[in-house]
Amino acid sequence: MTDHRPGADTAKGATAAAPDVAALAQAWAARPGDRTAFWRWLGALTDTGDIAAVSDALAAYRRHRPLDDEILRFTARFLEHQGAGALALKFLKHALAEGGDRTATLTAMIRVARGQGDLDTAHEAFRHASAEGLADPDLLCEAAQLFRYHLSDRDRAMALLDQALSLDPAHAPALEAKAHDAAALRADPGEVRALYARALAAAPDDPALHLNHALYLIPRGWLSEGWAAYEHRLDPRRGPTRTAVYAHALPGWQGEPLAGKSVVVLPEQGIGDEVMFGHHLPRLAGEAARLAIGCDPRLVPAYARAFPDAWVEGFVDAMDGRHRRRRLPKLERAVAAGHWPVDHAIPAGSLSRLYWPDAAALPAWPTGYLGADPDLAARLERQLPPAGGRLRVGLSWRSGRVGRATTPAYIGVPGAARVMRAVGGEACQFVSLQYGADAAETDELARLSEVPLDVVQGVDLKQDIEANLALMAGMDLVVGPGIATQMLALAAGRPTWIVSAIPQLWQLGDRHERPAHIPGLRVFGRQSGSWRPVLDALGAALVAAAQAGDANAAPPSSSLSSSPSSAS
């Protein structure tokens, strides 16, 4: 197993000396028409992650030679990895105009356009490929993802995947896509696992494949195998926007007794993951003599309140070549000076491998470990209209990553409006907890639902975690998809209803509507097809909860419940 302990560089060749960018620039300047010399310089520049420098280099090259499709695709891939998908798409459109390897360009266009939610561009790229008779496994697989998850045409998607596998029976992305589809349809686990096994045999070094395999195993209760595969989330080959390399060498913790020892918990990639795995922190604080918590800077005040005896520090990230290096500078200085000796360190997500090795080891989650600032909670409460005996419901409807785009993974504005309309404004007071929502989006939701939606002005729910916790303190119930907002609600001890299209990581084999190991949680899971029955059941449950005056009193929606996974 690859060593993912803090300080271990897991990317192949990650410890090799970085090329001298200046020397390569001079070598190209001496031969400005030399494409090979430019490639070396461009590769070194992309390693730095400096988009402006890459742009300047391309402009300099164009003064001597046109940018061909290969250079444009390479640059687009770099931009995509840097999170600049819209700009990457522009480069791919230029590459398409240049000709060259149109199959590679159209494949990249479908992938990037899907990621941007630009379905028209993605579909147009596939139509071009079809008209030109281009048949490549990568292209067919990307198109299948477009039809399956964006255009809701599963039959077309499966036909494309079968075509890809007829061209290459060991095509790992197509095999994984088939596995994901089978899992979504709740196929026999043996069938799904066999597909993943074939994909992993074809691409054993692909960290993203291992991670997706983990995300299949863990929710279904194969915890030991799943957590081992989940360690691949730390592999920096996944790209700087998806993972960070810990820049300090600290000894890893493998479950040794912590009596008299100090331990550093290192932060996860996303704030939702940090808060979810933060449920381990109360136990760790009780076992270790000293605890240091590295976290997203937005979480520092909340963690400092929750763990007043711990060292709490927000991380600092910096690009170093192709990698994002993550540091805790103050703690590192204290360790170096001998003021805070460290015995162990571990990423927060790796605690589950030690604390939750199997379903039998699952305790009840310590919900309510993060409290709100009482003064801020009181101030935000004054901005809301009185509930007047209604059930106060904090509502979100999408991930911030998709913006206002409609996607089958989330109920979106239309789905939220359907629920609000079914419940009505007399039974529930709805308060927006949707981060990234603008006035046009919340106004549209209120218009479609014909029910008022209260929005607290002057707070940025994406950046201001304190405002999230303060608002949640006044909610009787928090409802929305399995995103950071709902993780914060559970951590704040609020009754939480999650509306999900797929099994969530934290279900851990318990497929009941009310997982036994998470007090206060209720899951409204879409089995397949339309959201409508899920939304109608959610609306009925809200009405029942409002009538009872208690979010936990609503009867279960038996039509949506499923039996516990046999895997657990």
Side-chain angles (χ1 to χ4, degrees):
M1 183 70 183
T2 306
D3 182 4
H4 291 307
R5 292 178 304 163
D9 252 331
T10 56
K12 292 182 178 180
T15 56
D20 187 334
V21 175
L24 291 172
Q26 291 174 358
W28 174 77
R31 304 189 306 276
D34 188 328
R35 186 176 183 276
T36 301
F38 177 72
W39 262 117
R40 295 193 184 107
W41 181 33
L42 182 63
L45 279 175
T46 57
D47 281 349
T48 68
D50 189 335
I51 293 177
V54 169
S55 178
D56 290 343
L58 293 171
Y61 183 76
R62 286 185 63 188
R63 289 195 287 269
H64 302 277
R65 294 182 63 172
L67 297 174
D68 58 55
D69 68 301
E70 190 176 12
I71 291 175
L72 290 164
R73 272 197 309 275
F74 178 82
T75 306
R77 188 67 168 176
F78 158 72
L79 292 168
E80 182 186 7
H81 283 170
Q82 298 300 314
L87 187 55
L89 205 51
K90 291 182 179 179
F91 272 78
L92 290 171
K93 290 178 180 178
H94 287 306
L96 194 63
E98 291 295 323
D101 188 345
R102 293 178 63 81
T103 299
T105 300
L106 288 167
T107 301
M109 285 186 72
I110 297 171
R111 183 188 66 249
V112 176
R114 281 200 309 116
Q116 291 298 112
D118 186 349
L119 304 187
D120 289 339
T121 297
H123 200 188
E124 182 66 20
F126 176 66
R127 284 196 292 265
H128 275 297
S130 299
E132 296 174 27
L134 303 177
D136 173 84
D138 287 338
L139 187 149
L140 294 168
C141 191
E142 287 293 342
Q145 303 289 60
L146 170 68
F147 282 99
R148 177 67 173 91
Y149 298 108
H150 301 275
L151 302 179
S152 301
D153 188 343
R154 179 181 178 271
D155 291 342
R156 184 76 179 275
M158 292 303 103
L160 290 167
L161 290 176
D162 289 340
Q163 185 181 356
L165 289 170
S166 71
L167 296 171
D168 180 5
H171 190 258
L175 290 166
E176 183 189 3
K178 295 271 281 190
H180 192 277
D181 174 76
L185 295 178
R186 302 179 184 270
D188 181 86
E191 175 189 345
V192 180
R193 299 199 68 177
L195 286 165
Y196 269 116
R198 289 174 59 192
L200 288 164
D205 295 326
D206 183 347
L209 175 57
H210 281 281
L211 179 58
N212 289 337
H213 187 213
L215 297 179
Y216 172 74
L217 295 170
I218 295 168
R220 292 159 178 85
W222 286 290
L223 299 188
S224 179
E225 184 182 357
W227 293 128
Y230 193 64
E231 291 296 286
H232 286 271
R233 78 195 186 283
L234 302 171
D235 193 321
R237 285 176 293 177
R238 296 180 58 228
T241 62
R242 292 180 173 87
T243 191
V245 175
Y246 297 111
H248 41 282
L250 295 172
W253 183 48
Q254 300 300 322
E256 301 92 335
L258 292 177
K261 303 292 185 180
S262 60
V263 62
V264 179
V265 176
L266 298 163
E268 287 297 311
Q269 171 65 7
I271 200 163
D273 287 347
E274 286 196 59
V275 175
M276 176 177 66
F277 291 116
H279 289 279
H280 292 300
L281 293 175
R283 174 175 175 179
L284 197 62
E287 293 181 358
R290 291 197 299 177
L291 174 65
I293 303 170
C295 61
D296 187 294
R298 293 172 290 177
L299 283 169
V300 168
Y303 275 155
R305 278 195 305 274
F307 305 100
D309 296 327
W311 180 301
V312 179
E313 183 177 348
F315 61 71
V316 175
D317 280 353
M319 286 299 300
D320 176 12
R322 288 186 182 273
H323 309 301
R324 187 156 51 97
R325 304 283 176 176
R326 177 158 290 175
R327 304 191 63 183
L328 304 172
K330 294 179 182 177
L331 178 62
E332 291 171 37
R333 288 195 292 270
V335 171
H339 301 318
W340 217 97
V342 174
D343 296 299
H344 301 292
I346 187 169
S350 297
L351 286 166
S352 296
R353 181 169 53 87
L354 303 174
Y355 279 159
W356 296 341
D358 53 53
L362 290 178
W365 281 26
T367 55
Y369 75 95
L370 287 186
D373 178 316
D375 293 335
L376 180 58
R379 189 160 68 249
L380 295 185
E381 170 69 25
R382 289 194 291 270
Q383 295 189 40
L384 289 172
R390 296 173 294 171
L391 197 74
R392 181 175 280 176
V393 179
L395 183 65
S396 55
W397 47 89
R398 62 170 172 81
S399 165
R401 291 194 302 270
V402 301
R404 297 184 63 185
T406 300
T407 171
Y410 304 103
I411 62 173
V413 165
R418 183 181 181 89
V419 172
M420 292 171 65
R421 190 167 56 249
V423 175
E426 294 183 1
C428 292
Q429 176 189 15
F430 291 98
V431 179
S432 175
L433 293 180
Q434 179 60 59
Y435 56 81
D438 55 20
E441 186 174 10
T442 53
D443 288 349
E444 180 186 10
L445 178 52
R447 178 181 61 80
L448 290 175
S449 66
E450 300 179 348
V451 173
L453 177 68
D454 293 320
V455 179
V456 174
Q457 302 297 330
V459 297
D460 181 350
L461 293 175
K462 176 71 173 178
Q463 299 300 327
D464 194 343
I465 298 303
E466 290 291 275
N468 276 271
L469 293 171
L471 271 175
M472 289 172 184
M475 299 298 120
D476 298 309
L477 173 64
V478 175
V479 177
I483 58 175
T485 301
Q486 274 54 251
M487 295 300 100
L488 283 167
L490 286 172
R494 308 315 300 158
T496 305
W497 293 2
I498 290 180
V499 191
S500 171
I502 59 173
Q504 300 294 300
L505 179 71
W506 29 260
Q507 287 185 249
L508 304 172
D510 189 338
R511 302 292 293 282
H512 282 114
E513 182 181 326
R514 289 172 169 161
H517 58 285
I518 311 181
L521 174 65
R522 188 168 177 179
V523 180
F524 291 79
R526 189 184 74 187
Q527 307 294 319
S528 62
S530 170
W531 275 113
R532 180 169 296 183
V534 182
L535 299 175
D536 291 347
L538 174 59
L542 280 172
V543 170
Q547 290 173 345
D550 182 358
N552 292 316
S557 303
S558 57
S559 62
L560 296 179
S561 298
S562 57
S563 60
S565 168
S566 60
S568 63

